[in-house]
Structure formats: C-alpha cells, structure tokens
Amino acid sequence: MAKVAILGFGTVGTGVAEILMQNASLLHKRTGQAMELAAILVRTMRPHPLQHLFVQSMEEILSHPQITLVVECMGGTTAAYPYVKEALSTGRSVVTSNKELVACHGAELIQIAKEQGCAFLFEASVGGGTPIITPMFQSLCPGGIDKIAGILNGTTNFMLTCMEQMDMDFAKALHLAQQKGYAETVDPSDDVDGKDAARKLAILASMAWGSEVSPSQISTCGIGQVTPFDFQCVHKMGHTIKLLAWADKMDDQLRGAVEPVIVQKNSQLGQVNDAYNGVQISTQYAADVLFYGQGAGKYATANAVVADLVLALQAGSSVHRLLSWEKAVKPQPLKPWDEPSAYYVHTKDVPASMLKSLFGEGELLLEQDGHCGYLADCLTPEQLDKAKERLANEPGELMQILRKVHLEQN
C-alpha cells in the first residue's frame, strides 16, 4: 500500500483528496497497489470530514515511515521549496501543481530525485488539466523540438476574448475575470503582466532543450495596453490578439518571450478563446502538435496531479531518464525576436499622413477620434527602434506596437 500526504488543502488539495477516495478501486487496478491518504498539512485546524488526517508540521509527515508519496499544493516557494526538498531527500516521490516551484528550482529538485531513487513530477504546473508535460518528454523531446508557441494563461485569454467579443476595455474585462474567479482580486499582476505565462514557458523550454531556463531570463510584456480599438483594427486584416509565450532555438541560441501579438483568426491558436489554453509544439519529425484544454479548475488540475501519482508508482525514478534538465552555469537572457516582421502600430494624435514616413510602407487600417491603426509591412528590430525614436520627437503618442506572427492554420 502506498500512503499519500497532501501539503496544502485549498482548491487543488481538496480535489486530489476527493479523486483518491472516489476512485480508489480504479487506481488500485492501474498501479497494482492501493493508495491511501495518510496526512494533510494545513495551516489551521478546522472542522472537516478529513480533519482526523490534519497535521500542522512537516515533521509529522517526514516522521511517518509509511508515507512514500507527497502532493504539494501550497503554491509559492517560501514553504513549498524546503518542504519538497526535504521530502525528496528522504526518498519520497513528490507531485506538484506549483509552476513557480518548478520554474525556479526544477533542475535542483529533479537531481535530488535522481540521487534518492524517487520521482519529482509536475504535469499540472503548466497546462492544469491539459496533458502537456508527459506527452512532451515521452513522445516529442526524443525527436527534437524546434519551437514552442502557446497561450499559457487562461485569465488573460479570457480577458482578451471579452475585449474582442464584448467590446470591453481592460478594466472591465479584468473585473469580470475577477468575478468569475479567474483573476486574483487583490493582485492580478502575475496573470495580466505575463509572469504566470513566463514561468510555464520556462518549464517547457527547460524540458525541450535540456538546460535550465528561469522566468527571469524571459522578456515579458502583459496585456495592459491592449484596447478594443486594437481589435477593430486587426479584424480588418483577419487577425486577432493573443498573449503568446514562445521559444525556439536558432544556431544554438535560445530565443523567446511572452508578449501580445497579432495572429490569424483562423490559425490553431487564434481560435483558442475564453479561459482555455493552447500549446503548439513544432518538432523535427512529428511536425506541429497542438495541445488544447482547460488550464485550470479544481478537478481538471487535481486529475493531472493524481495521474502523476500513478506515474510515480509505475515508473519511479526511471521517469527522469527522459524528464530532466541541467542547471544553467551562466544563465543568459533569451534573445528577443530578431528577424524582419510586419508590425501593427496604434498611435494617438499622430497625423495619419506621417505614419508611412515613420514606419515605412504599409496600410492604414482605421482612423477614429484621433487614433490610428497602421500595419507596417516589414521592419527590422533596428528600424522599429529608430521609428519609435523619431515618433518620440513628434506630437502625439505611441499607444501600442504588436508583432504579426504567422502560425499554422487549420
């Protein structure tokens, strides 16, 4: 019998407990042994049907010799990092949904798992209930991954959908996302500023190319400057706006960023709406593979956690023959996009007649109440920087610049 401890008993933790109890017989058949919940680490005691399993110190779990599986659902790294490190160091396999923990400490924790003959698994950390991690390391990484492009944050994707389909501004879309529980009410910056997506991209890039990529290495821009006017403009060219997390490897150099971009509406990622995630992975042999589904939710995420518990029992430390990356010796920022591209430009109180001289050949998409939307046909990053400098010396204001990205179409 495998005894399980859960660290943190919020939304995901309670979902894991429910699935373990409700599906005990099926899980027994899948793994060949019963999984029994033995302890739940909580901050404060409270009335609950499982309160007889509540403990308030990690020592109580580590001193329980029969607990061999630990589920971390606490979030953050302040307590989660030392607790997970202790559990792995004593040979206990750990499963987590904590993207910050994996993005910042994944290489170290995987190495400890290897040394102690256990597993450190984190399927739920990137796609929530959408399987991405396991298919990547089992089926895609061995053949070589060329590029990752994804919508990795359901909150911002929901907000952009509201702005596009309901003509909401940023503030109203954020308020609705908060009402629905998608965005934090106190501080939603992790989502709207792109930090959550950067953590997830760091995990995927580390897996894909075998060397640690930390979130601090990834240039990140959120959606705070996107407006309904921008959607009106890009619709005229059959495009939409998405917060894209992307990375690729060119000439042994990693590039990548999290940034709002314009993509074709009929592309695979262009059709990912509401609070859904979509990740498109380009490989050397399997062409383009798309993963699509809910990025969050109690049972969707808990299901991914329990699936990792099954994998930990079935494979143990052998899983890290494929699921592994090395700690970076000298971390360097990922290079930004450095190729000539088309750009959407949104200006305010800049005469439309000046846009061609500033940004080169292109098309005026819309002029309305002092706002202009212009599609510049082709600019290098250097030409774009010079255009920004020239505009800074002119009357008016630069509101937005979005790169046009070509994605695989359906």
Side-chain angles (χ1 to χ4, degrees):
M1 176 179 289
K3 291 188 178 289
V4 182
I6 297 176
L7 314 183
F9 206 51
T11 301
V12 177
T14 55
V16 170
E18 290 176 35
I19 292 175
L20 286 175
M21 292 185 294
Q22 293 171 8
N23 296 277
S25 178
L26 176 61
L27 292 170
H28 191 172
K29 291 179 181 178
R30 292 278 175 86
T31 62
Q33 57 182 306
M35 274 194 280
E36 181 181 277
L37 193 55
I40 301 170
L41 181 66
V42 297
R43 289 180 180 175
T44 56
M45 295 293 187
R46 64 183 188 273
H48 190 276
L50 294 177
Q51 65 183 17
H52 62 288
L53 299 177
F54 286 1
V55 299
Q56 288 189 281
S57 73
M58 187 63 183
E59 287 70 24
E60 293 181 68
I61 291 171
L62 295 174
S63 63
H64 195 312
Q66 292 181 299
I67 291 177
T68 57
L69 296 170
V70 175
V71 175
E72 187 277 308
C73 301
M74 304 172 72
T77 59
T78 304
Y81 169 60
Y83 288 175
V84 167
K85 190 173 180 179
E86 286 181 306
L88 291 170
S89 297
T90 57
R92 294 170 167 90
S93 290
V94 175
V95 171
T96 183
S97 58
N98 187 338
K99 66 189 76 68
E100 184 178 2
L101 176 69
V102 181
C104 296
H105 302 286
E108 177 191 3
L109 297 174
I110 288 171
Q111 184 59 36
I112 294 172
K114 287 180 177 181
E115 293 169 355
Q116 298 300 322
C118 53
F120 177 59
L121 301 174
F122 39 88
E123 179 65 71
S125 66
V126 173
T130 306
I132 299 172
I133 301 291
T134 303
M136 266 189 73
F137 79 79
Q138 287 187 343
S139 303
L140 299 179
C141 282
I145 288 176
D146 297 324
K147 182 177 180 179
I148 297 167
I151 296 166
L152 297 177
N153 183 269
T155 299
T156 49
N157 203 47
F158 172 80
M159 291 173 61
L160 291 172
T161 301
C162 291
M163 296 169 75
E164 179 174 28
Q165 298 182 1
M166 303 168 68
D167 200 34
M168 288 186 176
D169 62 17
F170 174 86
K172 289 180 180 178
L174 175 59
H175 181 65
L176 182 58
Q178 291 170 325
Q179 285 183 322
K180 289 184 171 291
Y182 295 142
E184 294 288 339
T185 55
V186 177
D187 182 9
S189 62
D190 269 10
D191 290 321
V192 300
D193 292 344
K195 290 180 281 189
D196 174 83
R199 290 170 185 147
K200 295 173 180 177
L201 179 62
I203 295 169
L204 296 179
S206 297
M207 285 180 58
W209 295 292
S211 181
E212 180 183 43
V213 174
S214 72
S216 63
Q217 294 171 248
I218 300 171
S219 173
T220 303
C221 178
I223 65 167
Q225 302 305 312
V226 178
T227 68
F229 176 82
D230 296 322
F231 279 104
Q232 291 180 50
C233 292
V234 301
H235 281 174
K236 291 182 176 294
M237 44 186 288
H239 282 57
T240 186
I241 300 170
K242 296 296 180 183
L243 182 65
L244 191 71
W246 67 273
D248 62 20
K249 193 169 187 178
M250 298 286 289
D251 301 323
D252 292 325
Q253 173 72 56
L254 283 182
R255 305 187 302 178
V258 174
E259 56 185 330
V261 299
I262 58 173
V263 302
Q264 309 98 306
K265 281 183 69 70
N266 64 348
S267 65
Q268 292 176 332
L269 293 182
Q271 297 180 73
V272 176
N273 292 313
D274 298 313
Y276 281 80
N277 286 1
V279 182
Q280 187 172 301
I281 298 178
S282 302
T283 71
Q284 185 175 356
Y285 301 114
D288 292 320
V289 179
L290 179 71
F291 299 93
Y292 169 83
Q294 285 186 310
K298 176 178 180 177
Y299 293 112
T301 305
N303 181 74
V305 169
V306 175
D308 269 350
L309 287 174
V310 172
L311 182 58
L313 284 176
Q314 291 175 335
S317 63
S318 67
V319 73
H320 293 302
R321 293 171 188 164
L322 291 175
L323 179 58
S324 180
W325 60 85
E326 299 297 323
K327 193 167 182 64
V329 178
K330 293 182 179 180
Q332 298 292 326
L334 270 62
K335 285 184 64 176
W337 186 260
D338 54 3
E339 298 175 31
S341 297
Y343 286 88
Y344 161 75
V345 181
H346 173 186
T347 62
K348 180 182 179 183
D349 297 330
V350 177
S353 58
M354 289 182 59
L355 295 176
K356 182 177 178 180
S357 63
L358 287 167
F359 295 98
E361 293 292 336
E363 176 186 359
L364 181 64
L365 300 170
L366 183 64
E367 185 176 7
Q368 186 180 88
D369 300 327
H371 292 261
C372 287
Y374 184 78
L375 180 68
D377 288 343
C378 186
L379 292 169
T380 65
E382 294 76 18
Q383 289 171 329
L384 184 62
D385 288 340
K386 289 180 181 178
K388 291 178 184 178
E389 291 175 7
R390 291 197 300 270
L391 183 58
N393 296 319
E394 300 290 344
E397 185 178 355
L398 177 63
M399 305 295 291
Q400 180 73 273
I401 292 183
L402 302 175
R403 182 166 59 91
K404 180 181 176 183
V405 175
H406 178 76
L407 296 171
E408 189 70 21
Q409 297 185 17
N410 284 337

